[in-house]
């Protein structure tokens, strides 16, 4: 339908309008082994401003550095903020590759909508991100297990103390060259079932990457560490429905009492689970391999019973940061449940899955999920 002349169509993000300001003071680089996770920022960042009156302004790539904001900015007071986590990999030919970036764009728009932040054209933002990656390509470590972590983030800069719908916002894409997420690498971790603090509940915001979901989980991490575990496994309700662990989606490979192998992961429909792109990829690959995937609300009892009867063969978490994290044990009500060691050894389901994901991410095999940007 034609727009009537008096309806002003506000501009969306337009990559063709991108302005680039090169840094005059390159930041210090370090050896890949010293990178850690998310400590080092690369030379440039992408910045786009939005206002209800003007829509999306021209995107800008600027030297990474501090930003000035009005102290009343909504983000500081009401946490009106959402983010994404994605990675760019360098393959053995030195090409830069992204992994299913359109999924991150879709999810960020869903998160933004939940917080009444503006939506944007994801294809255009990906084009801008590609430029950002090309500009800082020397920052991307060319080593398996290493990558450029990309952190898109959008927040309300509306400068009033009144809580209202966003009228001014900012979108950044920050870049951090990273090494393996867990210092211990692919060593199995122990999860602490946290029944005290609830991460997500039906009708809440657990299914969007909203900053406010994460602040309250620091206490759970501390409780997990006190219990001698490395991450919290979040459950909710008296049934203790399994949701996620740390910032990872959870999978359990369980042999049914009749002997069939089933890969369990909590389903998305009640809104308690962050729809992970690694999660989706694991589900799709598992189905391709002929593994039965059970995507349903998952009571912890199913897992605990399977552990007690030696039917829980494997458990692992998934997420962009760690890709896949083996779980070696669970602690529930002070009791330890240990999983079999061959569950995370060479040849296990999860190690095959990890190898497959990495092959795709590092472009060792041609696959439509890997977007090569040269
Ligand atoms: C980001 C995130 C994940 C993982 O999502 P990916 O798209 O696989 O990186 C899982 N759980 C939570 C709570 C998250 O924030």
């Amino acid at each position: 339908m034609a727009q009537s002349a008096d309806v002003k169509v506000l501009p969306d993000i337009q990559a063709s309008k991108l302005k680039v300001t090169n840094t005059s003071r390159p930041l210090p680089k370090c050896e890949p082994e010293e990178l850690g996770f998310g400590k080092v920022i690369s030379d440039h960042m992408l910045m786009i401003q939005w206002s209800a009156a003007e829509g999306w302004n021209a995107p800008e790539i600027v030297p990474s550095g501090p930003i000035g904001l009005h102290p009343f900015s909504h983000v500081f007071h009401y946490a009106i903020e959402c983010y994404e986590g994605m990675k760019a990999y360098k393959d053995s030919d030195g090409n830069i590759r992204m992994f299913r970036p359109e999924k991150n764009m879709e999810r960020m728009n869903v998160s933004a909508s939940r917080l009444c932040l503006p939506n944007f054209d994801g294809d255009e933002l990906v084009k801008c991100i590609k430029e950002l990656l090309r500009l800082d390509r020397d920052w991307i470590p060319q080593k398996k297990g290493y990558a450029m972590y990309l952190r898109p983030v959008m927040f309300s800069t509306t400068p009033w103390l009144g809580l209202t719908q966003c009228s001014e916002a900012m979108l950044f894409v920050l870049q951090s060259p990273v090494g393996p997420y867990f210092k211990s690498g692919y060593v199995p971790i122990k999860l602490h079932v946290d029944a005290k603090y609830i991460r997500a509940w039906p009708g809440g915001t657990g299914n969007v990457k909203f900053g406010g979901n994460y602040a309250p989980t620091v206490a759970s991490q501390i409780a997990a560490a006190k219990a001698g575990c490395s991450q919290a496994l979040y459950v909710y309700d008296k049934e203790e429905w399994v949701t996620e662990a740390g910032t990872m989606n959870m999978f359990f490979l369980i042999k049914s009492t009749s002997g069939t192998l089933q890969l369990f992961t909590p389903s998305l429909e009640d809104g308690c689970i962050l729809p992970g792109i690694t999660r989706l990829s694991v589900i799709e690959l598992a189905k391709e391999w002929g593994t039965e995937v059970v995507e349903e609300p998952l009571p912890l009892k199913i897992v605990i019973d399977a552990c007690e009867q030696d039917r829980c063969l494997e458990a692992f978490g998934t997420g962009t940061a760690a890709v896949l994290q083996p779980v070696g044990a669970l602690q529930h009500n002070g009791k330890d449940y240990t999983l079999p060691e061959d569950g995370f050894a060479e040849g296990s389901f999860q190690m095959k899955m990890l190898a497959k994901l990495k092959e795709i991410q590092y472009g060792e095999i041609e696959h439509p999920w890997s977007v090569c940007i040269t």
Side-chain angles (χ1 to χ4, degrees):
M1 218 170 59
Q3 294 282 349
S4 69
D6 56 343
V7 177
K8 197 171 159 216
V9 181
L10 296 174
D12 206 318
I13 294 180
Q14 288 170 276
S16 60
K17 298 242 165 101
L18 181 66
K19 286 184 279 189
V20 180
T21 308
N22 281 288
T23 185
S24 54
R25 289 187 198 180
L27 297 168
K29 292 197 177 80
C30 66
E31 290 304 313
E33 294 71 24
E34 293 161 25
L35 285 171
F37 193 91
K39 296 199 187 105
V40 177
I41 193 163
S42 79
D43 277 332
H44 298 93
M45 61 187 193
L46 176 71
M47 189 175 96
I48 319 177
Q49 280 176 289
W50 176 90
S51 71
E54 292 176 14
W56 289 101
N57 291 7
E60 283 179 85
I61 289 178
V62 296
S64 297
I67 54 168
L69 289 178
H70 194 292
F72 286 173
S73 292
H74 272 175
V75 62
F76 296 140
H77 306 274
Y78 311 118
I80 302 183
E81 183 265 3
C82 63
Y83 71 93
E84 271 304 319
M86 55 207 291
K87 275 178 175 171
Y89 306 85
K90 222 178 225 178
D91 69 22
S92 56
D93 295 329
N95 299 314
I96 306 167
R97 288 172 175 275
M98 300 179 82
F99 184 72
R100 313 187 85 174
E102 72 290 350
K103 297 277 175 210
N104 294 90
M105 298 298 109
E106 275 168 31
R107 187 170 67 190
M108 192 159 176
N109 271 316
V110 171
S111 301
S113 293
R114 179 66 184 80
L115 302 170
C116 303
L117 284 165
N119 277 177
F120 59 88
D121 183 331
D123 293 340
E124 291 297 302
L125 185 59
V126 169
K127 283 186 203 163
C128 297
I129 294 174
K130 287 179 180 174
E131 280 311 310
L132 184 66
L133 286 164
R134 289 188 189 109
L135 190 60
D136 281 356
R137 67 179 309 135
D138 292 346
W139 283 87
I140 310 175
Q142 188 171 8
K143 189 170 176 180
K144 223 168 165 186
Y146 292 73
M148 181 70 100
Y149 185 78
L150 294 159
R151 169 52 61 90
V153 52
M154 195 204 298
F155 45 86
S156 172
T157 53
T158 310
W160 308 316
L161 287 178
L163 176 58
T164 55
Q165 184 180 344
C166 172
S167 61
E168 290 175 34
M170 259 204 213
L171 192 160
F172 278 93
V173 181
L174 310 171
Q175 301 188 100
S176 181
V178 295
Y181 188 65
F182 291 106
K183 278 187 242 84
S184 47
Y186 290 98
V187 173
I189 59 165
K190 185 167 165 185
L191 297 179
H192 176 247
V193 178
D194 189 342
K196 182 176 175 198
Y197 298 120
I198 311 297
R199 191 196 102 85
W201 49 88
T205 52
N207 56 347
V208 290
K209 263 182 133 65
F210 155 52
N213 289 340
Y214 301 85
T217 65
V218 175
S220 305
Q221 276 176 36
I222 293 170
K226 274 199 185 132
C229 300
S230 28
Q231 290 284 328
L233 177 67
Y234 301 109
V235 295
Y236 77 90
D237 208 8
K238 288 214 175 54
E239 298 293 330
E240 300 195 317
W241 301 98
V242 173
T243 60
E244 304 192 49
T247 54
M248 296 184 297
N249 293 117
M250 278 304 301
F251 287 87
F252 300 90
L253 189 69
I254 292 177
K255 194 156 75 180
S256 74
T257 42
S258 63
T260 47
L261 267 188
Q262 293 173 314
L263 185 65
F264 282 80
T265 195
S267 50
L268 303 178
E269 73 262 4
D270 65 2
C272 296
I273 307 292
L274 195 286
I277 294 154
T278 321
R279 172 189 182 278
L280 177 68
S281 306
V282 166
I283 292 172
E284 289 177 358
L285 288 172
K287 285 181 179 167
E288 233 174 69
W289 295 355
T291 309
E292 188 185 331
V293 179
V294 184
E295 213 185 328
E296 280 168 17
L298 176 61
L300 184 66
K301 191 173 183 321
I302 289 193
V303 176
I304 296 290
D305 285 355
C307 286
E308 280 182 332
Q309 297 160 14
D310 297 327
R311 291 186 293 104
C312 186
L313 307 184
E314 301 191 23
F316 57 94
T318 63
T320 296
V323 187
L324 191 149
Q325 173 58 52
V327 171
L330 305 173
Q331 190 185 95
H332 181 233
N333 293 336
K335 198 174 163 198
D336 281 355
Y337 300 87
T338 308
L339 290 151
E341 276 182 26
D342 50 7
F344 38 80
E346 215 48 55
S348 62
F349 176 86
Q350 61 186 285
M351 285 302 134
K352 276 191 241 165
M353 186 57 79
L354 175 63
K356 186 77 190 172
L357 287 168
K358 282 189 163 179
E359 266 180 12
I360 297 170
Q361 288 165 341
Y362 288 91
E364 289 167 6
I365 52 169
E366 261 321 305
H367 197 285
W369 292 347
S370 180
V371 179
C372 185
I373 66 173
T374 65

